[in-house]
Amino acid sequence: MSKLDFFCNLAEITTSFPHFWEHTVGSDHAPVALRADWQRQLQLCHSELAFQYVRFHGLLSDDMGTVVQDKDKLIYSFFNTDQVFDFLLSIGMKPFVELSFMPKALASGNKTVFSYKANVTPPRDYRQWANLINRLVSHWVDRYGRAEVREWFFEVWNEPNLRSFWTGTQRDYFKLYRYTAEAIKKIDASFRVGGPATAKSDWIETFVDFCERNKVPADFISTHQYPTDGFESDDDIEIQLFKSQRGIMREAAQDTRRYARGRPVYYTEWNSSTNPKDPLHDDSYAAAFAVSTIMEARGLVEGYSFWTFSDIFGENQFPSMPFHGGFGLLNLHGIPKPTYRAFELLHNIGSEQSLVDGLHETVDCSVLRKDSIVTVLLTNYATPGHSIETERVKVRLDNAHRPKNVYIQRIDADHANPKALWLNMGQPEYLTAADVERLQEASRLVKERQPFSYKHGAVLLEMDLPSHAVAAITMEFLSDQE
C-alpha cells in the first residue's frame, strides 16, 4: 500500500457544482411504466435520489396502442400514455419524451428489435408521422396544460446511427427529425425538441450542421455513451474494457459539448457497459465507475441520465435472478445495489466544490460543501484488467475549524454490498420476504466514526481505500451562528 496526499484550502473560493446527474434517469419501455412495482421503485428513486425526469423507449410502439390500422382507417388512442404520464406528474416527476418506435400502421417495413418487437423502419408517409406527433402533443397540451408541457423534453427516436434501431439512412433520420420538430413547434414554438439521440456520441456535428443549414429547430443535443461502445460481443467487450483508459467518457462529452455550439447537452444513456448481463453492474466496481464518471462530466452536460433505475427490464428475456447483472440501480425486488448507494451519497453532498491538489493513477479526491458541512469524496477505480490495489490515502484540509462530528460512509466489497450476502445465501433465484429484508439491510450505507487529527487550523484524515471503492467522509462544523 502506498500513501497518498491530497490538499484542500477551505479558505479559497468555491465553484458551483450542480447535480446534473439528477436531471433524468432511464428505464425500459413504456408499458413497463404501468407496473405497480416499477412505479414504487421510481417513486423511491425520486424521493431519495431526486431524479426529476424519466426516459424510456417505445411510447409509440404497438404494445401501447397509440395508433393502429383498422381496415383503411387509423385509430388513435392516447389512454395508455396518459396513465403513464398521470403517474409521473402525481409523484412530482416529468417525462423526457423519447418519440419512438414506429407504429406498424405507419411503418415502411417489418424490421423489429427487442422482445416487444419495436418497429425500427422509417415511416411510409412522413406526413402521417407528423400528424401523429401533432395529435399526440396537442392532446397532452389539452390534458396537462401548455405551461406543463413547456417543461418537457421531446427527443426524436433512439440511436438512429445503429442499424438495430433504424433501417433508414442518416438522411432519412434528419428528415424524420425535421417533420417531428416542425410538427411540435407548430403547436408551441417554446416546446423543447432535440436529437439526434445517437449511440457513441455520433452524428452530433453533422446533425447541428443540418439543423443550422436548413433552419430546423434543435433546442438541445442528446446522445449516449458507454465505455464499451464499438465492441458488441461479450468477448469484444472484455477486450475493450481491458484496453480502455479512464477519462474516455469525459473525452466524448468534451467533443459533444464543442459540436453542440452552445446548445444544452443531455446524455440520455450511460452506464459502465452495454451488456444487460454484466456481473460488474451489481458490484462496487459500478459504484466507483459511476462516481468517477459523474465527477469528470462536471461542466460539460446539463443532464446525465443513467441507464437504468431498475432491473424491471424486459428488452430481451425478463429476468428472475435477483442479481443477474442488470442495468438497474435497484434490483427486481427494489434492493439497492452499490450504484444506488453511490447516487445516494452524491445526492447528499453539497453544490459547491473546492479545489483539491493531488494526483493518483486510480484514486480521485473531491471536496464538496453545503453550509457548515464539508464532504471529502474518494474513489479508487480502474477499468478491468488495469492494476489497482488498496491505497492508504491521506487528506489535509487547511484553514478549517475543528469539526464537531466526522463520519465515513463506504461502498466496497464489504460495505453496501447485498450481492455478497446473496452469494452466501446460496444464490436463491426466488426470494422470500425475509430474504428481501436481510438483503435490504445489507445494502444500507452505514455511518462509522472516522478518526482525524486537528493541528494549526488543519484537519488531517487518513484511511485505507480498497480497490473499486467509494468513500464519503463528512465533517460537520459549527456554523457562524453557533
Side-chain angles (χ1 to χ4, degrees):
M1 295 185 293
S2 60
K3 180 177 285 190
L4 306 177
D5 290 319
F6 293 96
F7 304 93
C8 178
N9 183 355
L10 295 181
E12 291 184 346
I13 296 174
T14 60
T15 56
S16 176
F17 183 66
H19 287 201
F20 54 87
W21 63 91
E22 295 175 357
H23 185 277
T24 307
V25 71
S27 179
D28 180 16
H29 74 299
V32 175
L34 299 170
R35 292 176 58 125
D37 52 358
W38 183 97
Q39 294 183 358
R40 285 194 299 270
Q41 290 194 18
L42 183 62
Q43 191 161 10
L44 179 70
C45 289
H46 173 62
S47 63
E48 293 191 346
L49 308 183
F51 294 127
Q52 300 303 305
Y53 292 79
V54 65
R55 170 187 176 269
F56 41 75
H57 303 321
L59 195 69
L60 307 180
S61 294
D62 285 357
D63 51 5
M64 286 294 284
T66 307
V67 57
V68 297
Q69 184 91 33
D70 182 18
K71 298 179 181 177
D72 295 330
K73 185 178 180 182
L74 293 176
I75 306 295
Y76 298 88
S77 172
F78 306 143
F79 182 82
N80 284 328
T81 66
D82 290 348
Q83 302 312 298
V84 176
F85 288 6
D86 286 357
F87 169 74
L88 296 182
L89 298 182
S90 76
I91 66 169
M93 293 191 71
K94 301 180 187 297
F96 198 112
V97 185
E98 177 195 305
L99 293 168
S100 72
F101 287 100
M102 191 60 59
K104 184 178 179 181
L106 306 185
S108 61
N110 297 317
K111 175 76 183 299
T112 64
V113 68
F114 298 141
S115 62
Y116 54 93
K117 300 190 183 305
N119 190 291
V120 295
T121 68
R124 186 171 56 252
D125 184 333
Y126 283 82
R127 290 169 298 180
Q128 283 188 332
W129 167 266
N131 182 55
L132 167 63
I133 300 303
N134 183 277
R135 281 173 175 258
L136 186 57
V137 176
S138 295
H139 167 77
W140 288 331
V141 171
D142 293 340
R143 185 174 183 84
Y144 303 112
R146 193 172 295 271
E148 171 62 38
V149 179
R150 281 175 180 159
E151 297 186 31
W152 300 1
F153 294 79
F154 294 95
E155 181 185 39
V156 182
W157 212 254
N158 174 72
E159 300 189 348
N161 61 317
L162 301 184
R163 292 293 294 175
S164 297
F165 294 110
W166 180 248
T167 62
T169 63
Q170 182 188 81
R171 184 169 182 167
D172 291 331
Y173 170 75
F174 289 170
K175 183 176 180 180
L176 183 83
Y177 179 86
R178 181 173 193 165
Y179 270 81
T180 307
E182 290 176 351
I184 292 172
K185 293 291 188 177
K186 282 180 182 177
I187 301 168
D188 193 315
S190 66
F191 287 174
R192 290 179 287 195
V193 59
T198 43
K200 310 174 187 178
S201 302
D202 205 3
W203 288 9
I204 308 301
E205 188 173 25
T206 309
F207 173 74
V208 171
D209 285 342
F210 165 80
C211 291
E212 291 182 349
R213 184 172 62 251
N214 294 283
K215 295 182 170 54
V216 176
D219 299 306
F220 62 88
I221 297 301
S222 68
T223 190
H224 306 160
Q225 189 71 40
Y226 297 81
T228 55
D229 280 342
F231 295 78
E232 306 306 329
S233 74
D234 289 346
D235 289 342
D236 283 344
I237 286 173
E238 292 299 322
I239 293 171
Q240 166 67 346
L241 283 171
F242 185 83
K243 289 183 176 179
S244 65
Q245 301 293 328
R246 289 184 43 169
I248 189 172
M249 301 288 280
R250 178 172 177 80
E251 290 173 9
Q254 286 174 326
D255 289 341
T256 296
R257 189 77 179 179
R258 184 172 67 256
Y259 296 147
R261 299 173 196 163
R263 293 169 179 80
V265 172
Y266 295 91
Y267 270 82
T268 50
E269 284 188 29
W270 67 277
N271 202 317
S272 58
S273 80
T274 54
N275 183 355
K277 296 181 181 179
D278 184 348
L280 292 177
H281 288 155
D282 298 334
D283 294 342
S284 64
Y285 167 85
F289 164 83
V291 173
S292 177
T293 300
I294 286 170
M295 298 307 293
E296 288 181 343
R298 173 183 173 270
L300 298 175
V301 299
E302 278 66 35
Y304 215 36
S305 178
F306 188 81
W307 186 259
T308 59
F309 79 85
S310 176
D311 278 354
I312 299 171
F313 189 87
E315 284 187 354
N316 299 302
Q317 179 186 4
F318 198 90
S320 57
M321 198 67 73
F323 294 96
H324 60 273
F327 292 118
L329 299 172
L330 295 164
N331 84 343
L332 291 168
H333 301 270
I335 298 165
K337 301 183 191 180
T339 41
Y340 185 97
R341 297 309 183 190
F343 276 77
E344 184 178 350
L345 286 178
L346 288 167
H347 173 60
N348 291 322
I349 63 176
S351 56
E352 295 293 323
Q353 186 171 15
S354 297
L355 180 66
V356 175
D357 289 328
L359 188 65
H360 185 262
E361 202 170 285
T362 63
V363 176
D364 289 324
C365 176
S366 301
V367 174
L368 292 307
R369 304 176 68 170
K370 179 170 62 176
D371 301 325
S372 59
I373 297 174
V374 174
T375 300
V376 176
L377 184 65
L378 297 162
T379 59
N380 188 9
Y381 159 71
T383 53
H386 290 81
S387 177
I388 187 170
E389 59 185 23
T390 296
E391 300 288 353
R392 186 72 175 171
V393 181
K394 183 178 179 181
V395 180
R396 172 173 170 156
L397 305 171
D398 288 340
N399 288 301
H401 298 295
R402 180 184 290 274
K404 63 179 182 179
N405 187 28
V406 181
Y407 60 86
I408 187 170
Q409 294 170 289
R410 293 179 175 272
I411 304 169
D412 53 45
D414 299 318
H415 299 83
N417 184 8
K419 180 182 175 181
L421 174 58
W422 176 72
L423 292 173
N424 288 334
M425 293 164 59
Q427 305 179 45
E429 183 173 1
Y430 298 99
L431 302 181
T432 66
D435 292 336
V436 172
E437 188 173 342
R438 287 180 64 197
L439 291 164
Q440 287 276 9
E441 187 62 31
S443 81
R444 298 188 189 284
L445 290 169
V446 177
K447 293 182 180 180
E448 300 176 295
R449 180 179 172 275
Q450 170 62 40
F452 70 96
S453 61
Y454 183 78
K455 185 184 297 184
H456 305 306
V459 175
L460 299 175
L461 303 166
E462 197 166 349
M463 77 294 297
D464 290 335
L465 193 63
S467 61
H468 300 133
V470 180
I473 303 170
T474 300
M475 289 159 285
E476 298 174 350
F477 296 91
L478 292 174
S479 67
D480 294 337
Q481 289 74 35
E482 294 181 280

